[in-house]
Amino acid sequence: MRTDQILPRLERVFARLDREPERPAHLQTPRMSRHRVVLLGATLAFYLAIVVAVLTTSWLVRLDWQVMFFRPYEQWPQLHAFLDYLVVLGQRGPTAVMVAAWLGWRSWRQHTLRPLITLGVALLLLNITVGAVKLGLGRLGPHYATQIGSAELFAGGDIFPSGHTANAVVTWGILAYLASTVVTRRVLSVVSAVVSLSVGATTVYLGTHWVSDVLLGWSAGLLVLLALPWCEPLIAQVEAYVFEVRARLRSLVEAGQVPEALTGLLVPLLSAGGKWHLRRAAEPAAEPAGPAQPQEPAAAPALPAAHHPAARPAVHLSARPHLIRSERTPATPAGSRRPAHSERAASRGTAARPATGG
């Protein structure tokens, strides 16, 4: 898509964002309620219990090895082709693009950047928390395990917790977090839970993760979603900062302190629906040089009043007047060169044939 096609669309998007946010009156920004705090504490305790169980090589590690030796992908090979596509719902790249496209439309619809900024904050928290644990523990996956029965920790791996599972929880759960109605939020919560559970179980089936990896990935993603209300003030500040930077750029362009090469790109982004224009005192406004405007065709000559009856006014679509049916030339002109039928028959010396056959 060319630049001259992208800029007008961006101009319409920013013009819509300049309007007041439209949110349903019954929907409020999620807050850190007592129920959410209790659930956050329980999830955090479960998270720490999984980490301790793996560090101490407890029964959970033995379960990991038992499932690995069971090899689910060999027990049910008919599911392999389908689950290879299902696990894509947990990959960070494709899911982030799909969800960002939907939330971008939501931002344009509701005249606010909150959905997109919330997604960015959630993914940032996910990458920091999950990435730090992955690199810190350095666990190897089932396909790279070297010692049977060991936890395979601090071996340079990056498998614990499961990134696919945590990303599925956060990416699809953010849709429920930003839902417009209570019913929609509940439905999307169930859908996101089913998707994240399916993605985690699929990674165990394919043999790319231990069971404990998936358990820790579920709890890691849920912790990010539960902690998002604490980030709401930060989200509001980021949104205000974006518009503040846009206002500063607008003032710089108005003052002529921006290079000419960037002015053509910034004006559509900074204008409110095309209503804001550059004002330069040093340069007088010059009319754009363009092709000469076509002259209007000369008016048709006025006809007598008799040709314009009041009962049926004529509609002029062109310079030539449109005549009504009674004023048109007859279909057979009076001076036709072709003789009548009876005269042609007399000239041939034969009588006209009867109308019916004999």
Side-chain angles (χ1 to χ4, degrees):
M1 186 178 296
R2 297 178 303 178
T3 305
D4 55 350
Q5 296 177 350
I6 296 177
L7 292 181
R9 297 186 179 183
L10 292 177
E11 179 181 356
R12 291 194 296 268
V13 170
F14 276 93
R16 190 174 182 90
L17 291 176
D18 283 335
R19 300 168 58 183
E20 291 295 329
E22 292 182 1
R23 297 180 184 177
H26 59 277
L27 182 66
Q28 297 180 355
T29 302
R31 297 180 179 180
M32 210 63 186
S33 60
R34 181 180 302 177
H35 173 75
R36 185 180 289 268
V37 171
V38 172
L39 187 58
L40 178 65
T43 306
L44 181 59
F46 180 77
Y47 183 96
L48 296 177
I50 297 297
V51 174
V52 171
V54 174
L55 288 174
T56 58
T57 317
S58 64
W59 62 270
L60 186 57
V61 177
R62 293 194 297 270
L63 177 63
D64 290 339
W65 281 96
Q66 291 175 359
V67 174
M68 193 273 286
F69 284 131
F70 182 70
R71 292 183 175 86
Y73 55 88
E74 293 182 357
Q75 302 295 329
W76 302 285
Q78 64 275 11
L79 300 177
H80 201 287
F82 170 73
L83 295 180
D84 271 339
Y85 290 101
L86 180 63
V87 77
V88 177
L89 296 178
Q91 291 183 0
R92 184 168 297 113
T95 56
V97 171
M98 290 187 292
V99 175
W102 169 256
L103 294 182
W105 180 82
R106 285 278 307 276
S107 295
W108 179 81
R109 181 79 179 272
Q110 297 179 353
H111 316 154
T112 175
L113 293 176
R114 177 176 173 265
L116 283 177
I117 297 176
T118 304
L119 175 64
V121 171
L123 292 180
L124 182 61
L125 289 176
L126 177 67
N127 291 333
I128 292 176
T129 55
V130 174
V133 177
K134 278 177 174 287
L135 298 179
L137 297 179
R139 191 181 192 187
L140 295 176
H143 294 315
Y144 302 96
T146 57
Q147 185 178 356
I148 297 177
S150 67
E152 301 293 338
L153 294 172
F154 311 109
D158 57 351
I159 207 72
F160 182 71
S162 171
H164 273 69
T165 305
N167 183 73
V169 174
V170 173
T171 306
W172 301 110
I174 202 70
L175 298 179
Y177 180 83
L178 296 171
S180 301
T181 62
V182 177
V183 176
T184 306
R185 178 175 296 173
R186 293 175 180 176
V187 172
L188 291 178
S189 298
V190 174
V191 172
S192 61
V194 172
V195 172
S196 58
L197 291 174
S198 302
V199 169
T202 300
T203 59
V204 175
Y205 167 86
L206 297 175
T208 57
H209 279 287
W210 308 99
V211 175
S212 55
D213 297 342
V214 174
L215 294 178
L216 197 65
W218 281 330
S219 56
L222 187 58
L223 284 175
V224 173
L225 287 180
L226 292 175
L228 275 181
W230 280 336
C231 302
E232 286 294 339
L234 175 63
I235 294 172
Q237 292 177 4
V238 172
E239 183 179 16
Y241 178 75
V242 170
F243 285 100
E244 181 182 356
V245 170
R246 181 166 173 257
R248 291 179 181 177
L249 289 176
R250 176 183 296 180
S251 60
L252 291 177
V253 174
E254 282 184 340
Q257 300 178 4
V258 179
E260 292 291 341
L262 298 178
T263 301
L265 298 177
L266 292 177
V267 169
L269 301 180
L270 303 178
S271 60
K275 298 180 181 179
W276 176 76
H277 304 278
L278 291 177
R279 296 190 299 269
R280 295 186 178 180
E283 300 180 3
E287 298 181 359
Q293 298 294 335
Q295 299 181 356
E296 297 182 357
L303 297 178
H307 290 269
H308 300 280
R312 297 182 62 180
V315 179
H316 298 274
L317 300 180
S318 62
R320 190 177 65 178
H322 177 75
L323 302 179
I324 61 178
R325 183 178 297 273
S326 60
E327 299 170 349
R328 295 176 184 173
T329 306
T332 303
S336 176
R337 297 181 179 180
R338 188 177 184 183
H341 178 72
S342 59
E343 297 178 3
R344 296 200 305 270
S347 63
R348 292 195 300 266
T350 57
R353 287 182 294 178
T356 59

